[in-house]
Amino acid sequence: MSIEVSQVHGAVQTLTQSSDTLFLLLGAIMVFLMHAGFAFLEVGTVRHKNQVNALVKILADFGISSLAYFFIGYTVAYGANFFSDAETLSQGNGYELVKFFFLLTFAAAIPAIVSGGIAERARFYPILVATFFTVGLVYPLFEGIIWNGNFGVQAWFESSFGVGFHDFAGSVVVHGVGGWIALVAVIFLGMRNGRVRAGKHTNFAPSNIPFLALGAWILSVGWFGFNVMSAQTLEGISGLVAMNSLMAMAGGIVASMIAGRNDPGFIHNGPLAGLVAICAGSDLMHPIGALITGAIAGTLFVYLFTYLQNKTRIDDVLGVWPLHGICGAWGGIAAGIFGQSALGGLGGVSLTVQILGTLLGISIAVLGGLVVYGAINAVSGLRLSQEDEFNGADLSIHRISSTNED
């Protein structure tokens, strides 16, 4: 009888492992697909002469990110490596390998975010070098602190405030870090030629609204893999995360529609702003709290992007700092507000800790970005020549245009 029980237990355990592995693999595939969303969002926003470069950058960045995270970043964050035989690596149905794939798609979002900010005037290979170091060192440093308890920061939060920093799916860990690194890169690169004429700012209109919309749709759909499947096991899956993601997305759409006065660029970035902000507290908030969080994020994006484009010399092409940097930071703080049981949340969060953790993420991103992009800028330069920028990155870098004019 005991043998039969043992066999049943073994079969159940195998089924559970297989199910969790498949679950996480599907999540990894959904988040991987989001990179197509990043690509088409950029393609639709930049001018025609830079569309090929937008597509190539995102794919090349993913390849470099895979190498950087495989050989360095995953070890920095989790102390694990893949230098063992295939039989050992494939134990437990290869769950740990799929987990790496899933977390890699998060890590690779960092250069995909940066790409949108530095579009239309960045050199190709220096940016890939920056990708290697941001994904291999800067991002996993903060990732490991928050999601693996490295350096005792989370333990200090818990001993001092009773709870750790809560970021369920990466409002700060992924989006905040990516957005603030992007701000540093954007400042190093400076404004695109022709943006200021006769002392006045000139905005370049998006080249292709359908492509921009396609990118936003792909990202929005894939985000449910990003958020819901951050549970990483079937047992941990929560319908609350899905509902809160939906409501935050809706809040971002409506708020950006109103604040942006029906501008299609704002409306299609609105859901992304809401989804960025809800990542951190999606497993804690009441859906109404998620709706408010998303609406505030959508409004923040519209007004900050407008201000940057018209009043400053920070030329953030896709508005990735407002979208990911600011809305990501807001999401980290919002988890400490709307996650409170007094506001319908599940509790177990501290607003003080959420603010401190968010500031820590911003600090690491800015300092890391300054070191990486500053060093590369000093050694080789980050920006295309004036002639190459005028001709467009497509012809200057890739020797081909997005359309055949013959």
Side-chain angles (χ1 to χ4, degrees), residues 21 30 63 69 85 137 154 167 212 375 399:
T21 301
M30 289 182 71
Y69 200 63
D85 60 84
L137 294 172
Q154 287 284 44
D167 192 352
L212 187 157
R399 305 291 186 266

Side-chain angles (χ1 to χ4, degrees), residues 4-16:
E4 292 179 356
V5 171
S6 177
Q7 290 176 335
V8 171
H9 177 74
V12 171
Q13 186 176 25
T14 300
L15 179 61
T16 300

Side-chain angles (χ1 to χ4, degrees), residues 100-124:
F100 164 79
F101 179 20
F102 183 69
L103 292 173
L104 163 64
T105 60
F106 281 51
I110 301 299
I113 291 167
V114 174
S115 177
I118 63 174
E120 300 202 310
R121 75 272 201 204
R123 296 177 64 198
F124 188 61

Side-chain angles (χ1 to χ4, degrees), residues 33-103:
L33 181 61
M34 289 176 69
H35 290 266
F38 283 119
F40 280 100
L41 190 69
E42 186 173 335
V43 167
T45 304
V46 300
R47 289 168 288 178
H48 286 102
K49 62 183 179 180
N50 297 296
Q51 289 182 327
V52 172
N53 181 246
L55 292 169
V56 173
K57 266 194 309 176
I58 299 297
L59 190 58
D61 275 333
F62 194 90
I64 297 298
S65 297
S66 299
L67 298 180
Y69 200 63
F70 182 86
F71 286 106
I72 303 174
Y74 198 65
T75 302
V76 171
Y78 300 102
N81 62 68
F82 301 100
F83 298 102
S84 57
D85 60 84
E87 182 179 355
T88 301
L89 292 175
S90 62
Q91 290 179 353
N93 299 103
Y95 176 84
E96 291 300 322
L97 299 181
V98 173
K99 181 179 178 181
F100 164 79
F101 179 20
F102 183 69
L103 292 173

Side-chain angles (χ1 to χ4, degrees), residues 89-303:
L89 292 175
S90 62
Q91 290 179 353
N93 299 103
Y95 176 84
E96 291 300 322
L97 299 181
V98 173
K99 181 179 178 181
F100 164 79
F101 179 20
F102 183 69
L103 292 173
L104 163 64
T105 60
F106 281 51
I110 301 299
I113 291 167
V114 174
S115 177
I118 63 174
E120 300 202 310
R121 75 272 201 204
R123 296 177 64 198
F124 188 61
Y125 285 108
I127 293 305
L128 292 182
V129 173
T131 291
F132 185 88
F133 287 105
T134 53
V135 175
L137 294 172
V138 181
Y139 166 74
L141 176 63
F142 187 62
E143 177 190 18
I145 288 173
I146 301 305
W147 286 344
N148 197 50
N150 295 353
F151 304 110
V153 175
Q154 287 284 44
W156 181 78
F157 281 148
E158 291 171 6
S159 63
S160 301
F161 302 96
V163 293
F165 179 73
H166 188 89
D167 192 352
F168 180 71
S171 284
V172 181
V173 174
V174 179
H175 300 285
V177 168
W180 286 88
I181 289 175
L183 176 64
V184 174
V186 165
I187 292 173
F188 270 116
L189 279 161
M191 297 187 77
R192 289 167 289 173
N193 293 322
R195 281 274 287 112
V196 177
R197 299 175 185 174
K200 295 184 179 181
H201 285 64
T202 300
N203 294 321
F204 302 131
S207 61
N208 193 307
I209 294 297
F211 275 157
L212 187 157
L214 175 63
W217 273 104
I218 293 172
L219 283 166
S220 296
V221 172
W223 223 295
F224 287 86
F226 197 100
N227 283 2
V228 176
M229 292 176 174
S230 285
Q232 299 188 20
T233 63
L234 280 173
E235 183 180 6
I237 193 170
S238 170
L240 182 64
V241 175
M243 173 61 82
N244 283 341
S245 300
L246 178 65
M247 296 306 291
M249 181 179 70
I253 293 170
V254 174
S256 63
M257 178 183 66
I258 295 171
R261 300 179 181 180
N262 304 330
D263 181 282
F266 286 138
I267 292 173
H268 284 95
N269 276 282
L272 310 183
L275 287 163
V276 164
I278 198 57
C279 287
S282 57
D283 63 328
L284 295 177
M285 295 184 192
H286 186 280
I288 295 177
L291 176 65
I292 296 171
T293 297
I296 292 174
T299 305
L300 282 172
F301 172 73
V302 171
Y303 285 116

